[in-house]
Each structure stands twice: as C-alpha cells, then as structure tokens.
Amino acid sequence: MKQNGEHVREGERLLTICNSCRYCEGYCAVFPAMERRMQFSEADVHYLANLCHGCAECYYACQYAPPHEFAVNVPKVFAEIRARSYQKYAWPASIAKIFRGRGIVAIWAAVLAVLIAGVANIGGAQFYDVIPHDSMVAIFLALGAYISFAQFAGLARFWRDTGEGFARFLQPAVLARTLSDILSLRNLDSGGAGCTYPNEMHSPARRRYHHFTFYGFMLCFAATTVAAIYDNVFGWVAPYNYTSVPVVLGTLGGIGLLIGPAGLLLLKRGRDSAIVDTKQDGVDVSLLALLFLTSFTGFMLLALRGTSSMGVLLVVHLAVVLALFVTMPYGKFVHGIYRAAALLKNALEQARQRQT
Amino acid sequence: MAQDILTADVIVIGGGNAALCAALTARQQGASVTVLESAPRDYRGGNSRHTRNMRAMHDAPTEVLTGAYTEEEYFNDLWRVTAGKTDESLARMAIRGSAPAMEWMKSQGVRFQPSLGGTLHLGRTNAFFLGGGKALMNIYYQAATRMGVQVLYNAEVVALEICDGRFVLGRAAVDGNLMEFRAKAVVVASGGFEANLEWLKEAWGPAAENFIVRGTPYNKGTVLRILLDAGAESIGDPKQCHAVAIDGRAPKFDGGIVTRLDCVPLGIVVNKNAERFYDEGEDLWPKRYAIWGRLVAQQPDQIAYSIIDAKAVGRFMPSVFPPIEAASIADLAAALGLSPARLEETVTAFNSAVQLGHFDHQTLDECHTGDGLTPPKTHWARRIDTPPYFGYPLRPGITFTYLGVKVNERAQIRMNSTGYSANLFAAGEIMAGNILGQGYPAGFGMTIGTVFGRIAGKEAAIAAGQA
C-alpha cells in the first residue's frame, strides 16, 4: 500500500507533465487551475484532486496515458489522492479510521437496527408507540449535531490548507458561480457532450443519475425539515397524509433516490476500471446502497404504514437512515463537501485572475 | 504463405489523421473500407496523436477562430516558410480545402476549443482540437466504428504488388500472421520514416543515433520504401527532416510536446566544449524554433546546453524535466559535465559583450552583444549574472521527414514509368513533400492530411466504382 506522501508525489509528477502539455485545458476547471501554478504543493494537489470530477476525458485524450512510459492517468491518481484527503481532513481521525474498509456500512446498519429494535416496541400501532417521540428527537438531534460538526470540522481543515481566508465565502459573485457549478455539475458536462464515463464514449448518464441522487437527497432533506417544523413548531404529529408537503417532497425526493443511486450502481458495473480507484468501490457502493435503501424502506413504510408490519418497517427504515447519518462524515458523502469547497476556491481564483 | 485473404473496395494503409479522413470519406461515398494500422490500439493515430491544431483559412471570425485568414495571406505564409519550395496548385488546394474541411470535421463530431494559454498565439490562424490530437483521433475512430469501417491494428503492410501502375494485391502482417489483401483502390497514408534510425543514418551518418524521435515509433517508412522500390516517383529532399531542439532527457520516441524547450532566446547555448555556436537571439522563437534541431545536430555528439539565470525563470513554458540548477557557473558546468573553466570563460566573454538596453522578450528588442563577439546575440542579450543558474541539455528532436511520393490534385501516386496510378492514392505526411519543400507553418501538416485525406478517400471510392 502506498503511503500518503507517495500519492501526493505522483500527483505532482502528473501535474508537471500536464502543465508542460496543456492540451486538456479546454476540458474542465482542473487544467486552467493547474496553469495558474508553476509548482504544486501538497495543498495544491489536494485542492486540484478535489476539483476533479473524475469525468476521465483527459485520460482518453492523453498521449501520455499508459502504456506510455510517462503513464499519466489523472482521473485514477486524483481519485486515490481524494481518498487520502478525505482521511486527512476527517474529524476526528480516530473515529474516521473505524469506517475504512469495504462493506463496513452494512455492519453498522445491522448493529443500529438491533439497537433500535432493542428499545422499540415493534408491535405498536402508531409511529411513536414504536419509538417514543422524545427518544426519536433526541437520537436524531444529537446525531445531526455531531455529523454537522464533524463535516464542518473537515471542511474547515480543507479550507485552511487552501490558504484562503474564511471571510472569502462572502462574495456574492463567487458564491453564485460556485453554486451554479454545484447545481449544474458543469464539470461533468464537457460543454454538452457529457463525460467519458463509464467508458470513452461521451454520455450524459452519470451527470443525470447524479442529479437524480443530489436533488432527490435535497428534496428528502427538505421534507424532513418541513416535518420537523410541523412537529416542533405547530405540534402536528406524524404520520402526515399523502398530499401533505412533507410526504409530497419526500415522495419526489425518494423517487430521485431510487433512480439516481440505482443508475450510478448500474454504470459502475460496466465502467472502464482503468479510470477509477477500485479500492474505493466499498465506500462508493455503501453510500449508494444506503441512499437507495433509505428511499426504498421509506416507500415501504409509506405504503404499509396502516398494517401490522409498520413497526418492523419503521425500525428498519430508521436503522438505514441512522447508518447513512453515522457514516456521512467518514464515507463517500464527504466528496460533496470537499468538491464544493474546491469549486469555491476555483471561483475565487478565477475572480482574482479576471481582476489582474 | 498468406493464409487469409482480406478484401474491401478501399483499403487504407495507415491510422493517423489523413488515413482516417480518407477512410471515413470513402465510406461516406458508399465504399467498403478497411484500415490497416501498424500500431496497436493504444498507440493508434500516428503522429496525429501528438498534434494539437490545424491551420484553417477563413474570411470571417468563426466559433473557434478570430479575425480572418484569407487564402492569400495563408499562401504567403506558406511561401515564406518554405522559401517558395512548394507546388502552388496543390498548396492552394490544401488551403482552400481547409475551410470546408473544418465543417466536415464538425459533422464527424470533432470538437474545437477557444484558443487559450500556451498556444503560441495562433488563435487567428489555427483551430485547436479540444483535448488535442489523440482526442481528435478517438472521435474519428468512433465515427469509423459507427459507419462500419473495419479497423485492423498491429497490421503492418510488408508488400504491395503494382502492375502497370495499378495496385493488384498486398500483404500485411496482422498480429504477426501474414495476410493477403485485395482492394479496388488503396490509399497510402502511412507517414514518413522519421522513426527509422537506419534510414536516417543514410542522410545523417552516425549522428542520427543521437536523434530523438518526437513522435510515434511506428513511422518506419516501410510502405514509402515499398512504393519507391516499386517505381513511384519521389518528391522532397531525402536528406531533410524537420527537427527542433528538445530536452535531451526526453524518451527516445513519443515524448511529444512536453519535451520542447522555449528558453533558448533567454540565455546562451553552448556545445559540449562549452562554446557558443549560433545567435540565440536571431528572431522570435516561434520562427526560429525549427532551426535549432539542425544546429544541435551539427555539434559534436549532437548535444548542446541552454544556460539561463534566475532572471529567465517564469518567462517560458515549463518543460517536463526540471532544469539542472547551481549557485555558480562553475558548479553548473560541473553538474552538466562541461569544463567549468571554459564555461566561465564563455559566459564572461558573453557578459562583457552585452550592451545594456530595454529588454522585451515579446519583440525584437534592442538588447544585443557588441565588441565583435562571435557569434553575436542580436536580441534579448542580458548578462547571465543572477544566481541560481540553470541548464537544460538539448538534443535534436525529429518531427517528420520530407521525402515522399509525388501526387496530383486527385491524390493519385505518380509512377515513374506509367504516370499517375488509377487506383493508388496517397495522403498525409507521405505526400506532404509535394507542398512542403522545406520548413512548415504550425498546424499545416494536419491541413494537408485532412484535405488530401478527404480527396484521396473520395477518389479511391470513385476508382472502386462507388460514388
């Protein structure tokens, strides 16, 4: 297994080759950002690796790709560096370690299910008969606070390494650009052609499935937030009817979380393994599976909430959601945090470049 | 003997830009087409995989080209660079054909990028392929697959039977198995012989051993030799090649763009005896880029060293290899394997001859040497006096060769005894010598390949009874 430093050195080696070639500068944000530098520090390598969306166009276009002796493979090496950077910036490192490795998430979900089942009254007829309202609120509030803090801590560490001040978040034009980069996944689009994933033929598939996943997640998040307001502000107790705002948002989001992760998993099966870091398959699949299962168990619960299976389904659904939450700061989910930060840094650099 | 027989209306020999343009065009005309590419799939595309742009005529700004670049200006540029050594009729065909070629390329799915940094300021005259030449070739190969063009890799042509100026049959080693192939017409687009060191030695002697081949190792000139031996009329100086000075640490083959060095005008260049041998500031670098390969090739052991000081850093495109760095000229000489005393002597003589003036490395500035320094440095002469000092080894890097086969406006190959062949066509580097007697304007090789590839493909399809 390569040490962290080796990955960074390999990244520096590739960037030095890329910077004297520059044929790929029209593809994505990475290469213009690279050209703003003559040398590459470890922080630069981490920033550029996280700016890379892994579209792989540069790999297929590269005259120095293996078997050439220069063996340039930016998407794969950057994926390896990203994985290292997730570990480096994760907070706290001691807990992050526990989450490494393939299939660990399934074990977490099972453990959580057993724990919840232990405190739950599975035969209950109402949600809060199964798990008392206050317990549920307490668990999710505590966990929510923890993962928010952990993710923010990781983000803060990454941002400090970029050398940018914290107040720089507050430039409207820069924020707008970053937000548009995130919401449109411009860097996976290659000017409308789509990316070269799962193979060298351009395709919009990955971007589309990612959109389903991203917007699905956001809608579910919105549904949960509205439901929390209903409950805590208005005292309206779940379950809500089928035409209520939380259920409609959750249903739309849930559809996204079925289509998106399923599509991404399907693409993963047929991808060209040359362009990816296959060692990350475990965490990738875990996140996709948890997102899919969150939605799937949610729909099951919605459909069968009037039946005697409700208790079991609620326990299973909550276990999956908790597993998703627990693994968030230490799994693939953080790619979104660091990618967003890298896009922000890129937007700042572009703005500065325009000024000079 | 040959066990399998391969047949198609049109067989294209080669797998680079000209070959694929010919194959796609012939297929569009309705011919069945097989491409014989001598390289394996990973290295397909000949030298086109190292290219980046194509020089294109246009009378008004386009999506990817600024301003206008008229036929006359284009031709004048060509005339100047080749010192008039061109076939005007064929040259104008290539120039005129470049405008519709751009449209055809787009129809095949080719993507261009707006001109950005590091492009030698060619945004008006040259259209840049998004992702470079290998991306371009990927698009052509994808189009070939889509259209039903058969592509064989590791397919090296070893013999052609030509009877009364007509192609009859050929033999190719495909994955090491000898196959016979028959076709109604053949397009030869197999490049030059710049990767054939033995052949290069015929012109350059043992010095060729020290040449570095910038592009594909598969351009051995096998088919060019077969054609010349079969009586094809040759064109172009067999002793000429396009060579630039590149980083001496480059791989023997396929180093491509990243091995180029743009720092020559910013310092001095010495040979292994630590002596200067040519005016480093003669003209702007893009114009002088191509003479330094020959200059270095004429030095002992075909090696030279570009010496710069800290003032030059950041004023040229970084090379892939870090410079050799030292705190003093003597230390730098030692690190480069040169005589410290001699290099100090050379630098001192140069420094004391430098006339102070306003330095501007973007124009022909007034900084030059005086006091009868030989050779002089006529521009950008600044004292080499600010440590750290840097050195880059230089070697001749061959881009392409000029020797080829004579063709006409229909890309037909001319045979010495029977005139233009009815079913043998040539496109790309193997016939570029018709248009480029010497020198070459950046991106013009791709223009010749694209325009004459399309002509050869169309004519071959017609000769095959299609279209």
Side-chain angles (χ1 to χ4, degrees):
Chain A
M1 184 132 178
K2 285 184 198 168
Q3 297 301 304
N4 193 22
E6 281 179 51
H7 283 83
V8 171
R9 274 196 296 281
E10 172 66 358
E12 289 167 30
R13 186 185 75 86
L14 297 194
L15 287 164
T16 306
I17 295 171
C18 293
N19 213 16
S20 8
C21 172
R22 303 190 170 188
Y23 282 18
C24 290
E25 64 191 354
Y27 277 143
C28 69
V30 169
F31 297 96
M34 171 196 78
E35 289 177 21
R36 291 192 281 266
R37 295 160 167 76
M38 297 287 261
Q39 284 156 352
F40 305 94
S41 67
E42 183 175 334
D44 287 331
V45 172
H46 282 151
Y47 153 58
L48 293 170
N50 277 287
L51 189 58
C52 166
H53 288 49
C55 79
E57 271 197 299
C58 63
Y59 170 79
Y60 294 111
C62 183
Q63 57 191 311
Y64 303 114
H68 192 283
E69 63 185 279
F70 288 172
V72 174
N73 187 339
V74 170
K76 185 188 169 90
V77 171
F78 274 16
E80 289 169 353
I81 294 169
R82 278 198 297 278
R84 299 292 162 145
S85 74
Y86 302 158
Q87 289 169 17
K88 178 182 177 196
Y89 297 116
W91 181 92
S94 51
I95 293 186
K97 259 186 211 146
I98 307 170
F99 286 83
R100 275 176 219 163
R102 192 180 274 264
I104 196 84
V105 169
I107 299 167
W108 273 97
V111 169
L112 286 163
V114 170
L115 285 177
I116 297 166
V119 299
N121 165 25
I122 288 175
Q126 300 294 318
F127 282 3
Y128 299 121
D129 294 346
V130 179
I131 297 176
H133 175 271
D134 293 350
S135 309
M136 191 138 49
V137 171
I139 291 170
F140 277 90
L141 221 60
L143 201 54
Y146 174 77
I147 61 172
S148 301
F149 183 81
Q151 303 220 33
F152 184 78
L155 175 64
R157 289 172 166 196
F158 178 87
W159 196 249
R160 195 175 50 222
D161 255 14
T162 65
E164 301 283 354
F166 284 85
R168 294 195 192 269
F169 279 100
L170 304 170
Q171 297 180 32
V174 167
L175 276 178
R177 173 71 197 195
T178 308
L179 208 59
S180 126
D181 283 344
I182 295 168
L183 297 181
S184 70
L185 284 181
R186 181 179 288 114
N187 288 284
L188 268 187
D189 191 32
S190 191
C195 63
T196 43
Y197 181 93
N199 59 46
E200 70 177 289
M201 306 301 290
H202 284 85
S203 157
R206 186 188 212 177
R207 178 164 164 264
R208 281 187 189 154
Y209 287 133
H210 193 284
H211 276 335
F212 273 113
T213 310
F214 176 84
Y215 287 102
F217 180 85
M218 286 302 176
L219 285 168
C220 287
F221 186 71
T224 311
T225 309
V226 172
I229 293 168
Y230 277 13
D231 183 87
N232 296 303
V233 179
F234 299 104
W236 301 340
V237 178
Y240 304 107
N241 68 45
Y242 291 122
T243 55
S244 65
V245 174
V247 174
V248 169
L249 288 175
T251 303
L252 289 173
I255 291 169
L257 285 183
L258 289 179
I259 296 172
L264 290 172
L265 283 167
L266 217 63
L267 291 180
K268 197 180 256 303
R269 284 185 56 184
R271 79 204 155 159
D272 178 353
S273 60
I275 57 176
V276 292
D277 175 16
T278 49
K279 289 191 290 299
Q280 289 179 64
D281 283 353
V283 284
D284 288 359
V285 171
S286 295
L287 176 63
L288 292 171
L290 281 175
L291 289 169
F292 181 88
L293 287 173
T294 298
S295 171
F296 183 75
T297 57
F299 277 123
M300 292 291 285
L301 185 60
L302 184 67
L304 301 174
R305 67 189 184 185
T307 72
S308 59
S309 321
M310 190 276 286
V312 175
L313 288 169
L314 182 61
V315 166
V316 170
H317 180 60
L318 290 178
V320 171
V321 174
L322 279 174
L324 177 65
F325 274 34
V326 166
T327 54
M328 258 185 192
Y330 311 110
K332 178 66 184 233
F333 188 86
V334 296
H335 83 279
I337 309 272
Y338 299 126
R339 176 80 32 81
L343 285 166
L344 179 63
K345 159 96 172 154
N346 180 55
L348 279 166
E349 287 186 354
Q350 282 176 327
R352 278 198 291 267
Q353 199 171 26
R354 271 194 300 274
Q355 279 162 15
T356 55
Chain B
M1 276 316 295
Q3 294 170 341
D4 301 298
I5 295 183
L6 197 69
T7 56
D9 291 336
V10 174
I11 282 184
V12 177
I13 302 172
N17 174 54
L20 268 285
C21 287
L24 294 174
T25 306
R27 184 77 194 105
Q28 282 176 323
Q29 300 284 330
S32 64
V33 179
T34 295
V35 172
L36 303 177
E37 159 64 303
S38 66
R41 189 189 183 286
D42 285 326
Y43 284 110
R44 70 186 181 189
N47 279 337
S48 305
R49 62 198 295 281
H50 290 294
T51 65
R52 192 178 184 184
N53 56 70
M54 180 175 118
R55 190 167 284 254
M57 180 185 102
H58 54 108
D59 293 324
T62 72
E63 285 168 30
V64 294
L65 292 160
T66 58
Y69 191 44
T70 62
E71 181 183 333
E72 279 322 300
E73 186 187 356
Y74 197 149
F75 183 74
N76 288 340
D77 284 347
L78 177 66
W79 185 266
R80 200 168 48 246
V81 171
T82 60
K85 290 185 185 169
T86 185
D87 177 322
E88 178 162 353
S89 165
L90 294 180
R92 285 190 185 272
M93 279 188 76
I95 291 168
R96 279 186 217 124
S98 66
M102 287 281 292
E103 295 310 310
W104 178 81
M105 291 168 80
K106 284 180 203 160
S107 75
Q108 301 303 307
V110 174
R111 299 160 73 204
F112 296 93
Q113 73 164 73
S115 174
L116 297 172
T119 57
L120 298 177
H121 316 293
L122 296 168
R124 183 173 68 88
T125 54
N126 291 46
F128 283 71
F129 317 130
L130 184 65
K134 189 176 171 191
L136 172 80
M137 294 315 300
N138 288 344
I139 288 164
Y140 281 154
Y141 275 99
Q142 285 163 14
T145 304
R146 205 166 52 234
M147 289 163 56
V149 171
Q150 183 186 24
V151 177
L152 297 180
Y153 298 107
N154 297 307
E156 193 184 8
V157 170
V158 293
L160 295 176
E161 247 173 61
I162 299 166
C163 244
D164 296 331
R166 282 189 69 92
F167 166 80
V168 181
L169 68 87
R171 287 190 193 85
V174 183
D175 290 322
N177 304 314
L178 203 58
M179 291 178 91
E180 199 171 284
F181 62 88
R182 291 170 188 275
K184 292 171 186 160
V186 165
V187 177
V188 185
S190 53
F193 64 92
E194 59 277 0
N196 188 332
L197 292 176
E198 291 305 313
W199 195 338
L200 291 173
K201 277 190 212 164
E202 289 177 20
W204 284 87
E209 279 293 344
N210 287 325
F211 289 6
I212 292 170
V213 180
R214 299 174 72 203
T216 178
Y218 296 93
N219 276 13
K220 301 238 176 250
T222 313
V223 186
L224 174 60
R225 179 63 87 192
I226 291 169
L227 284 172
L228 295 177
D229 289 348
E233 189 177 327
S234 76
I235 196 156
D237 187 340
K239 295 194 185 304
Q240 292 300 317
C241 59
H242 182 272
V244 301
I246 60 170
D247 196 306
R249 296 163 291 183
K252 190 73 178 170
F253 295 100
D254 247 340
I257 187 72
V258 300
T259 64
R260 73 164 168 354
L261 268 176
D262 292 343
C263 57
V264 164
L266 296 167
I268 59 169
V269 176
V270 299
N271 60 19
K272 67 175 277 196
N273 302 322
E275 291 158 346
R276 290 178 60 249
F277 53 89
Y278 198 82
D279 178 3
E280 301 89 348
E282 185 183 38
D283 204 343
L284 291 169
W285 184 238
K287 291 187 187 167
R288 277 291 153 262
Y289 183 54
I291 68 163
W292 278 86
R294 173 172 310 277
L295 291 171
V296 175
Q298 287 160 349
Q299 295 307 307
D301 291 349
Q302 295 72 51
I303 190 149
Y305 302 89
S306 171
I307 313 283
I308 55 174
D309 70 2
K311 297 194 295 292
V313 173
R315 291 187 186 273
F316 59 96
M317 279 280 286
S319 139
V320 73
F321 301 102
I324 292 149
E325 182 180 336
S328 71
I329 292 293
D331 289 350
L332 183 64
L336 294 171
L338 302 173
S339 154
R342 277 198 187 156
L343 188 62
E344 278 185 328
E345 204 177 300
T346 300
V347 170
T348 307
F350 171 78
N351 284 353
S352 53
V354 167
Q355 311 290 303
L356 295 179
H358 177 68
F359 174 81
D360 180 359
H361 75 296
Q362 311 278 11
T363 61
L364 292 171
D365 72 1
E366 60 192 18
C367 296
H368 61 275
T369 56
D371 296 343
L373 183 76
T374 312
K377 186 177 180 189
T378 47
H379 302 96
W380 313 295
R382 287 200 293 179
R383 286 181 188 143
I384 297 172
D385 58 3
T386 313
Y389 302 99
F390 302 96
Y392 287 96
L394 300 172
R395 290 260 184 212
I398 295 203
T399 321
F400 61 83
T401 46
Y402 288 97
L403 178 69
V405 292
K406 183 165 173 55
V407 297
N408 61 8
E409 283 81 353
R410 292 167 62 195
Q412 291 170 307
I413 295 175
R414 185 174 168 83
M415 307 302 290
N416 281 320
S417 52
T418 51
Y420 289 106
S421 170
N423 70 347
L424 258 177
F425 304 86
E429 188 186 342
I430 198 169
M431 50 66 69
N434 288 269
I435 299 171
L436 293 171
Q438 71 174 54
Y440 94 113
F444 194 50
M446 293 302 276
T447 308
I448 296 174
T450 307
V451 172
F452 277 89
R454 291 182 67 211
I455 292 171
K458 185 180 167 198
E459 294 290 339
I462 293 169
Q466 304 294 326

